[in-house]
Amino acid sequence: MTFNEALNYVYSRKKFAKSNSLERISALLFALSEPQKNLRFIHVLGTNGKGSVSTMTASCLKEAGFKTGLFTSPFVESFCERIQINSKNISEADFCRLTETVRKKSEDLPQQLQPTFFEFILAVALVHFCEQGCDFVVLEAGIGGRDDSTNVIPPPLVTVFTSISLDHTEILGDTAEKIAEHKAGAIKEGSTVVSFPAESSGFNFCPQQKSVCDILRQMSEKHGCNIVFPSMNKVRIISESIFKTEIEYGRLSFSLRLPGEHQLANAACVIETVNILRSLGYEITDDAVCKGMERAFLPARTEIVCTNPLTIIDGGHNEGATKTLCGFIDRHFAGKSVTLLAAYMKDKDYRTAIDILAPRCENIVFTICDEHRGEDPAVLSEYAKRHCKSVHFERDTKKAFQKASALLNPDSVFVIAGSFYLAGELRKIFSA
């Protein structure tokens, strides 16, 4: 099986099943000798910030000398980014071999137990982490919590909830409280819970809603779990630029390459997670934490990929991610002209994203990067005209990039946003 054959097989799996249940992933992992039972987990759930918290946590554990697996999504440039050990992607050879292994086991299962796309990839990851003898696995959830495939794991050492807000409402519910109930369903007896901060202490981010905090507290209490809410009063910004932020958290001083004040809150969650692991007897020095935080990096999350012209790539698509991007623009580039190149998926709330981002733009060019799932750029363009006078569209991504580039002036900020598919495709231009 070649790498392309393996990818084609994985993508042939159904994205969603008719019923939300752990039955399929449980059956598949049983056939694979239940690799999850030989691993220690940090389980990361939430709406926004899962990737950041997962990456920072894995980086700290790596710097502490632990062999650390990371399961995350989405990828930006390589599918293998989804499965990493000590910051290195799974090799194409290992991915092909394990895809064949999981394929054989899955095809022995009855039709009603055939795994979905996400379940299949999760099984590949867990077998890989088990084979490689990982000390820890930082496991980023997909959608929800209670019925999410990642909830098949035994009680994790720490269960982390990042910021919870509206997304995937057709599956999880149309209020933050309903979504929180779904996600809180992953809390298990024997774990300790960490939540995104309940107060911002003057920093520019939205704290965890009180109603969401109440649900997390209630579910933690039900399962006999302690819950920790990091205090932003411990955080102090020492210095800040568009590339990094020097901060203090308690006795720790470190720099953070992930921009935006919401990342200070994510970092606080990571440090509290590390403190819990320390209390369980794992040796993680302050130096390892600081190095881990400084070396943590995520592509296409408010990433500055070029300084001339100043270009930001961000794959976020929902309300929370768009507000975060806008906060960064407002903070660092107030008064500058913004030209936006964007694409959105049909199944995302692109109207809210456009309502937030478009009023800040002098020019907008829409395109499409997935013919099956992507929204028609003509539809996006028509909607955005209520906020911006200079709105254009080009179906071809390269032509759209050229069109947007031509609209830039010497003082412009060029923003590429709305889709990780678009981010991955165009990021290659800047990294070449």
Side-chain angles (χ1 to χ4, degrees):
M1 182 178 278
T2 67
F3 183 62
N4 282 337
E5 287 172 341
L7 281 182
N8 288 336
Y9 179 80
V10 169
Y11 278 120
S12 73
R13 313 301 306 180
K14 289 182 179 179
K15 188 176 180 184
F16 298 110
K18 291 182 179 178
S19 62
N20 293 323
S21 161
L22 299 182
E23 187 179 13
R24 292 179 303 278
I25 185 63
S26 297
L28 178 57
L29 292 178
F30 182 80
L32 291 162
S33 301
E34 299 187 294
Q36 77 277 15
K37 292 189 175 180
N38 298 312
L39 297 165
R40 301 184 191 93
F41 293 94
I42 293 89
H43 198 188
V44 182
L45 308 101
T47 305
N48 292 309
K50 295 195 299 290
S52 298
V53 168
S54 297
T55 298
M56 284 189 272
T57 302
S59 183
C60 291
L61 295 175
K62 172 196 169 189
E63 294 301 325
F66 295 105
K67 194 170 191 177
T68 306
L70 173 64
F71 179 72
T72 187
S73 62
F75 70 92
V76 177
E77 292 185 1
S78 168
F79 190 90
C80 291
E81 294 170 29
R82 299 177 70 120
I83 304 170
Q84 302 176 28
I85 295 178
N86 284 358
S87 304
K88 293 184 178 179
N89 299 347
I90 186 174
S91 69
E92 292 187 1
D94 278 339
F95 180 76
C96 292
R97 176 179 60 83
L98 292 174
T99 295
E100 184 66 23
T101 297
V102 177
R103 181 188 69 81
K104 289 177 180 178
K105 293 297 184 181
S106 66
E107 290 180 353
D108 288 337
L109 298 172
Q111 185 60 39
Q112 69 271 21
L113 293 178
Q114 287 300 303
T116 63
F117 166 87
F118 187 81
E119 290 164 345
F120 191 97
I121 295 303
L122 174 61
V124 169
L126 293 174
V127 173
H128 182 57
F129 297 146
C130 186
E131 281 187 353
Q132 298 301 314
C134 287
D135 299 306
F136 293 107
V137 172
V138 181
L139 195 69
E140 179 185 335
I143 298 173
R146 181 187 64 221
D147 302 323
D148 187 77
S149 307
T150 60
N151 200 27
V152 74
I153 62 173
L157 299 171
V158 188
T159 304
V160 187
F161 291 93
T162 64
S163 177
I164 294 174
S165 58
L166 297 181
D167 200 11
H168 300 292
T169 53
E170 72 286 357
I171 298 172
L172 303 178
D174 57 1
T175 67
E177 292 76 21
K178 290 178 182 177
I179 292 171
E181 287 173 0
H182 265 275
K183 294 181 186 293
I187 295 173
K188 297 181 178 70
E189 184 177 349
S191 182
T192 301
V193 178
V194 174
S195 168
F196 195 75
E199 34 73 32
S200 64
S201 298
F203 291 103
N204 186 26
F205 69 87
C206 295
Q208 199 79 283
Q209 294 181 34
K210 182 182 182 303
S211 56
V212 170
C213 293
D214 290 342
I215 290 167
L216 296 178
R217 284 193 187 95
Q218 290 163 9
M219 190 62 76
S220 297
E221 183 178 340
K222 177 180 177 181
H223 291 283
C225 302
N226 290 329
I227 183 167
V228 176
F229 291 89
S231 171
M232 294 304 293
N233 290 322
K234 294 181 181 179
V235 179
R236 185 170 74 90
I237 296 177
I238 301 169
S239 65
E240 183 181 19
S241 75
I242 59 174
F243 297 105
K244 68 178 182 179
T245 306
E246 299 278 350
I247 69 171
E248 287 182 352
Y249 185 87
R251 68 175 185 266
L252 299 177
S253 297
F254 55 89
S255 64
L256 205 57
R257 294 168 64 192
L258 303 175
E261 292 194 24
H262 67 292
Q263 295 292 8
L264 306 182
N266 287 333
C269 290
V270 174
I271 293 170
E272 294 301 339
T273 297
V274 168
N275 287 339
I276 291 165
L277 295 176
R278 284 169 163 166
S279 73
L280 295 173
Y282 297 102
E283 186 175 343
I284 306 170
T285 66
D286 286 354
D287 184 58
V289 176
C290 292
K291 285 181 179 177
M293 299 299 265
E294 289 166 3
R295 293 173 181 175
F297 171 72
L298 271 173
R301 275 75 167 184
T302 321
E303 179 188 8
I304 296 174
V305 293
C306 184
T307 55
N308 188 24
L310 189 66
T311 305
I312 302 169
I313 289 184
D314 192 278
H317 54 261
N318 60 28
E319 180 179 0
T322 306
K323 284 181 176 178
T324 293
L325 172 61
C326 290
F328 182 77
I329 294 170
D330 294 346
R331 185 174 181 83
H332 293 285
F333 309 113
K336 287 186 176 290
S337 166
V338 175
T339 292
L340 171 67
L341 172 57
Y344 292 96
M345 298 296 131
K346 291 177 182 176
D347 59 346
K348 303 301 180 182
D349 183 14
Y350 61 80
R351 293 179 181 83
T352 297
I354 291 172
D355 287 341
I356 296 168
L357 188 51
R360 290 169 168 80
C361 300
E362 184 171 332
N363 308 291
I364 301 175
V365 180
F366 288 108
T367 188
I368 188 168
C369 50
D370 185 315
E371 289 292 339
H372 298 292
R373 292 182 56 212
E375 182 57 273
D376 188 331
V379 173
L380 298 172
S381 178
E382 191 61 33
Y383 185 79
K385 286 178 181 177
R386 66 188 65 191
H387 298 297
C388 178
K389 293 180 180 179
S390 177
V391 181
H392 316 267
F393 68 90
E394 290 280 357
R395 297 191 68 85
D396 182 271
T397 302
K398 289 183 179 178
K399 289 182 179 178
F401 179 79
Q402 292 168 355
K403 175 70 173 177
S405 298
L407 293 170
L408 297 172
N409 63 54
D411 199 38
S412 287
V413 178
F414 188 16
V415 177
I416 299 168
S419 163
F420 281 104
Y421 292 96
L422 181 67
E425 185 174 345
L426 296 184
R427 190 173 182 272
K428 295 174 184 176
I429 294 174
F430 297 96
S431 58

